[in-house]
Amino acid sequence: MRGNSINPLTRLNMKQQLVLLFLGMVSPVFLLHWYGNYQAENLLKNHVTNAYVELIKQNHTIINRDIETVNKVTATIIQNPTTQRLVPSGKDAVIERVRKFDSVDRMLNSYSIPVNGGEAVYYSLYIYDPNDYYFFAPKRQIMQTGVYFFSDKTKPAWFDYAISKRGSGYMDIIEYNFGLAKINTLAYIRAVGNVNNGKEFLGVLIATRMDIKLAESLRSVSLPGGVISYADSGNRILSSTVPGQNGKLLELPEDLLYGLSIRNPKKEAFLEDPFRTHEMITSDSIYIASQNDAIGHKLVYQIPVQSLLKQQNELKRIIQLITVAYMLLGSVIMVYFWRSLMTPLQKLAQFVRTYEPGKLVPETPSKRRRDEVGVLMSAMYDMARRLNALIHYKYNMDLKAKESQLQLLYQQINPHLLYNTLESIYWKSTLEGNTESAEMIKELSKLMKIGLSRGRELIRLEEELEHANAYVNLQQMRYSYEFKVIWNIPDSVKMIRIPKISLQPLIENAIIHGVKLMGDDGEIRISAALEGERVTIKVEDNGYKEANIVAIDQLLNDEKADHRLGYGIRNIHQRIQLHFGNMFGLSYRKREEDGTAAIIILPATYEEPLA
């Protein structure tokens, strides 16, 4: 048999459940927002990376074309007969040497003119002239272009390395004199060989300001907050979009350098692409590199992720504002439904918890509502009112039933008492005369007066004592009894309430079944004591006959008692319990001495004396 599963939400109150529901509605929005931003950033990074991979190839192609153009110009200058004739020799006249120098100088100037408004590359030719045949030529560079002759003392530091390259052009950052200043520049350097004699070299041709020329190509690409660097095989920056970086070491991630070093033979077999590209995305930057394997130079794009995602962040902020607005709207809706739905239900739950049958029901809250909550509240309050009406109706019916039962009990007692008393007056008046009869009539009037009690069911104990005393006097005058009656009633209990005609039947039983035949040895003691909130009244006799306490107890307490044993004491017991409850009533017990004690237990309820 399957057990009943317990819903854990039922352990929470409605407020906690509503908050949990709100969090359950809002949390997926935040998760989707975070996941969407994460995926959008990755997609944007990948798309931008792919776009810049294609762009860097084009950019590298342009730079390579610029370098190739310079290489062709240097080849043209080297192969020009004017350049080849410029060999230091004492055979030529000075004027001839001047003409050769001037021709080469003008040629270099002509190639150094800017083209199409771009940056110019300045060509300079350095020739080794230890004998100072060209003494008239400048010995140090004072112009950005020209022909310069040097000796062993003034030989540039890069000259021997350029000669060792045997006519292969290369780029390097060199320092050269320009006027009185020394300038660092990226130069394309190439040794000038003797065409007629392939083993000899005339000098070295350099193309300066290559860094500015390359920077022009680099600036043609716009990166959002990024840096473009052109570096050699040793990662030394040859040109950069950031001023002052030339000659510094370009710091690249190891994974990027490793990626550039891996070759793909299948790809190279089918594609005639001189560049090898590799991209890498880190937490801070996106790196895209293109390497020219022919010369080992590499072009590197470094794009900060934050600048790339600036527009994405703007969109993210908009989405965040929408999310916050959604939360605020959700909070307003939650508060509205809380006040409209939860608050009435809380009031209804509080009413159900505190409602006691018979308690006054307050006015129905939200009685103008026509929705399910309003119907539920109206039905609950109306049901409580109907329940109260039924309780009051049943209470009134019970009171009427008790009153009817009490009246019936009184009617069973009073006629019998009245009949016997009148009979006694009759016989006494006949036998003894009018004086004693008058006394008996007087006592009888007391019995009648107190027995009627103006329709009251509960009277003061002092009234009941007066009634009982009148009965004792009548009995003593009627039968000439000589038994003694002792009254021990303190004033503190005389004002308590007691059902009327409660003591007289007990005293009657004490007389008939106890002291009737004992003469002056008989004694009846009536006493009362206040014990906290309870009052104990005792009617004791010293009768010689032993009472059947068990039979008396059955008569008092059993539902189907044998009424042939008598109904007087049962009547008293029932009336006390009807008025005060089952905690009170009448009981009998044997005395330690001879005789029997009838004990009445009553609550200490008081009544003010009549005016």
Side-chain angles (χ1 to χ4, degrees), residues 207-243:
T208 59
R209 295 175 62 88
M210 285 292 294
D211 51 342
I212 300 177
K213 183 65 177 178
L214 296 180
E216 181 184 25
S217 299
L218 299 181
R219 285 193 298 269
S220 64
V221 177
S222 177
L223 297 183
V227 178
I228 304 177
S229 302
Y230 187 77
D232 60 12
S233 58
N235 293 332
R236 187 176 58 163
I237 299 176
L238 302 179
S239 183
S240 175
T241 55
V242 179

Side-chain angles (χ1 to χ4, degrees), residues 437-447:
S437 296
E439 291 294 328
M440 295 182 68
I441 293 172
K442 180 179 178 182
E443 298 296 334
L444 178 60
S445 67
K446 291 182 179 179
L447 287 176

